[in-house]
Amino acid sequence: MFVPELRPWRTARPHVVRVADAVRPRLARAAGIVRPRLAHVAAAVKPQAARLAQAARPQLARITKAGPNARTWQYTAGAATAGLALTAVVVTAAGPWDSSGQRTAERDRVAALGRTGGTDHGRPGDSSGTSDEAAGAPRPAPSAASVLTGLGALGGGGGDTVKSAPHALPTGTGLTGVLGPLLGDPALGAQHAAAVVDVATGKSLYGAGAAQALTPASTTKIATAVAALSAMGGEHRFTTRAALEPDTGELVLVGGGDPALTARADADGRASLRALAASTAAALKKRGLTRVTLSYDTTLYAGPQIHPIGVNPNLAPVTALSADEGRTDGSDSGPTTRVGDPAAEATTAFGKFLEAAGVRTTPPGPSKATTRAQSVATVSSPPLSSLVERMLTNSDNDIAEALARQTAVATGVRADFAGAGKAVLAQLKKLGLPVAGARFMDGSGLDRRDRLTANLLTALLVKAGDPRRPDLRPVLTGLPVAGFTGTLSSRYADGAAGVVRAKTGTLTGVNTLAGTVVDQDGRLLAFALMAAGTTDPAAAQAALDKAATALAGCGCR
């Protein structure tokens, strides 16, 4: 492993003291928030804390043996690993996620700043499933402030903008010296590309094959997220409704493309099919109806439902109506067997809930609600910002394909696989991003024909950090945290845990990593690392993680 030689602790000490002084008030506030919850979570995090503490002992031993002239990277690695044993408790107690997938710390910060939250874009009803005739709409989602982890973002102005850290930028020569040997690791295959950009200034700092379009795998979801948020806004919600045809008495369950709709008893902040059935039954009984012909409408989306890769446990058939992503085992993420017809399954479950509420139904079949159909009840999804965060944290393919299609719907493009790809690309062009060579065959990155460049991936991340585009901030807050959340929870155990936030990408022969990292001088850097022709996924992942860890540990000048 190549490790850059950094400044000794004597030079670093004033910087560390300055940082400690800056964050001490925040730590005090955090302690006040989490103290009542520590007892509840201590048992849950004790194994992780023990593991991290054990991992720290060899680091600390090497530092002691090295003497007072030990390099900064050794001190930092040991201290950070030991400190994370405590950090694990704090992070678990205070977040970073609430039940809807929104960052708890970000939500609490918004409340402290007195923000009022957003709107629901006129969608009727509420998330508990009340009729659109009832008073009150879904509660607005919080308008998330720009809470970023770069030390330069902590000073002044309430921390709502990305600011330059008080140190010089890393240089191309410095970054080449650090990343060059690491990216030459044979584990990264025959082709690789990399780019590093300073988020505060947007300045490109390093590039190696950065304009070469390669298969991005799941880092495609970063582009899907940016396109969806720019097209619809973070407060947008997707509505599922029950519509009654006045002439025939047919009840149509109309899919609104909500990828988080659930039929489970515990909705956990999502739109509930059970609640929708209860509200629908109450509305029907007011009309004197206790028996209806049940149908379902999936016409919001067009084209084939099966992904070009075929039936796959990583993705259900893509339809505008689905409950629990068509999962058959009660899971919330990861590959599993899916139902063959999610819309029919969801409507069958809806019919059972109606019958439990006293309304008999026929076996459901496909239909299309007419313009005369009257909505009798609705439920709305969590805000798009929450769905984006959930998609990125868990690398959720079902949400990704839904958001790509919703981008097509919002921009008037045919909502099939091809149209969704065109819509995503068009939104990125509108944002002025470098899309040369880019190709989107889907929204999830499962299609090997997708192409992105390292330049585009870093540009997407920089755009999400632009203070003028707070609507795109969930792209950054949704990135998995190294060593803690989502697809990075089991990585960086002895690396830059808690410092790197990145989206992973893995297909056979393809490994990618794109995200943000706070370097030794407190600068927030966006990076993209892409490798093609890999033969050992674990070795390739380890090589990418070493590169990201090296960025975290250097000033690279």
Side-chain angles (χ1 to χ4, degrees), residues 2 174-184 194-196 206 529 546-548 550-551:
F2 177 88
L175 287 167
T176 298
V178 171
L179 294 178
L182 295 175
L183 296 177
V196 180
Y206 174 83
L529 308 171
K546 286 179 183 178
L551 280 175

Side-chain angles (χ1 to χ4, degrees), residues 1 46 73 88-89 120 128 181 189 201 225 258 267 284 308 325 354 370 381 385 392 520 527 536:
M1 175 178 174
K46 186 176 180 181
W73 75 268
V89 178
D120 190 50
S128 65
T201 64
D258 178 3
L284 292 175
E325 300 181 339
L354 283 176
T370 69
S381 72
S385 58
L392 293 172
Q520 178 196 347
F527 69 90
D536 184 337

Side-chain angles (χ1 to χ4, degrees), residues 69-172:
N69 293 322
R71 292 180 174 85
T72 302
W73 75 268
Q74 292 174 305
Y75 177 87
T76 303
T81 307
L84 284 173
L86 174 60
T87 303
V89 178
V90 177
V91 169
T92 304
W97 317 109
D98 65 16
S99 61
S100 71
Q102 185 74 23
R103 279 184 57 204
T104 304
E106 189 167 2
R107 181 196 62 198
D108 291 343
R109 178 170 178 76
V110 172
L113 292 173
R115 301 294 177 86
T116 58
T119 64
D120 190 50
H121 296 274
R123 295 198 178 262
D126 68 21
S127 57
S128 65
T130 58
S131 167
D132 58 358
E133 298 169 351
R139 295 177 59 186
S143 295
S146 309
V147 183
L148 301 176
T149 57
L151 298 181
L154 294 179
D160 290 339
T161 60
V162 183
K163 299 181 180 180
S164 297
H167 297 282
L169 285 168
T171 66

Side-chain angles (χ1 to χ4, degrees), residues 370-391:
T370 69
T371 56
R372 300 185 305 279
Q374 302 169 355
S375 293
V376 295
T378 65
V379 288
S380 294
S381 72
L384 178 57
S385 58
S386 293
L387 296 176
V388 163
E389 288 187 323
R390 191 183 296 272
M391 172 187 71

Side-chain angles (χ1 to χ4, degrees), residues 181-509:
L182 295 175
L183 296 177
D185 190 327
L188 294 180
Q191 290 181 296
H192 63 262
V196 180
V197 179
D198 180 54
V199 175
T201 64
K203 182 177 180 180
S204 176
L205 305 176
Y206 174 83
Q212 181 181 10
L214 298 175
T215 302
S218 278
T219 52
T220 300
K221 294 181 177 72
I222 297 174
T224 301
V226 169
L229 288 167
S230 66
M232 293 173 278
E235 314 300 341
H236 192 77
R237 300 174 190 255
F238 307 119
T239 297
T240 305
R241 64 190 180 101
L244 183 66
E245 295 287 359
D247 299 332
T248 63
E250 177 187 14
L251 183 69
V252 185
L253 182 61
V254 182
D258 178 3
L261 182 68
T262 182
R264 295 172 186 169
D266 181 6
D268 193 28
R270 294 169 287 179
S272 170
L273 202 58
R274 293 170 184 260
L276 179 61
S279 298
T280 300
L284 292 175
K285 288 177 180 178
K286 285 183 179 179
R287 291 170 167 82
L289 297 173
T290 58
R291 181 180 180 87
V292 293
T293 299
L294 183 61
S295 303
Y296 55 90
D297 182 347
T298 62
T299 58
L300 181 67
Y301 295 168
Q305 295 184 359
I306 303 299
H307 191 281
I309 64 173
V311 176
N312 190 285
N314 287 291
L315 179 68
V318 182
T319 173
L321 178 61
S322 178
D324 301 303
E325 300 181 339
R327 295 175 177 273
T328 59
D329 61 355
S331 62
D332 287 315
S333 62
T336 188
T337 302
R338 313 301 182 99
V339 300
D341 189 343
E345 290 286 337
T347 311
T348 298
F350 180 68
K352 291 179 179 178
F353 300 147
L354 283 176
E355 295 202 2
V359 176
R360 298 182 62 187
T361 72
T362 61
S367 184
K368 177 176 173 55
T370 69
T371 56
R372 300 185 305 279
Q374 302 169 355
S375 293
V376 295
T378 65
V379 288
S380 294
S381 72
L384 178 57
S385 58
S386 293
L387 296 176
V388 163
E389 288 187 323
R390 191 183 296 272
M391 172 187 71
L392 293 172
T393 299
N394 295 328
S395 197
D396 193 304
N397 298 304
D398 298 275
I399 295 179
E401 295 301 344
L403 297 191
R405 272 174 164 70
Q406 292 284 7
T407 302
V409 171
T411 56
V413 179
R414 178 178 165 84
D416 57 9
F417 280 104
K422 291 177 182 177
V424 169
L425 183 60
Q427 285 300 118
L428 303 190
K429 285 182 179 179
K430 286 178 63 176
L431 292 170
L433 295 167
V435 297
R439 183 169 67 200
F440 297 95
M441 307 304 295
D442 65 1
S444 62
L446 288 173
D447 196 316
R448 303 180 68 87
R449 297 172 295 169
D450 290 333
R451 292 290 184 272
L452 272 74
T453 66
N455 278 340
L456 176 55
L457 284 169
T458 51
L460 287 162
L461 295 165
V462 170
K463 181 66 71 173
D466 188 338
R468 296 166 297 182
R469 295 306 303 257
D471 54 315
L472 302 181
R473 202 70 75 247
V475 176
L476 298 185
T477 58
L479 293 174
V481 180
F484 286 97
T485 61
T487 54
L488 288 185
S489 60
S490 61
R491 291 166 64 170
Y492 294 87
D494 55 356
V499 179
V500 170
R501 305 190 66 149
K503 181 71 197 74
T504 58
T506 306
L507 293 172
T508 302

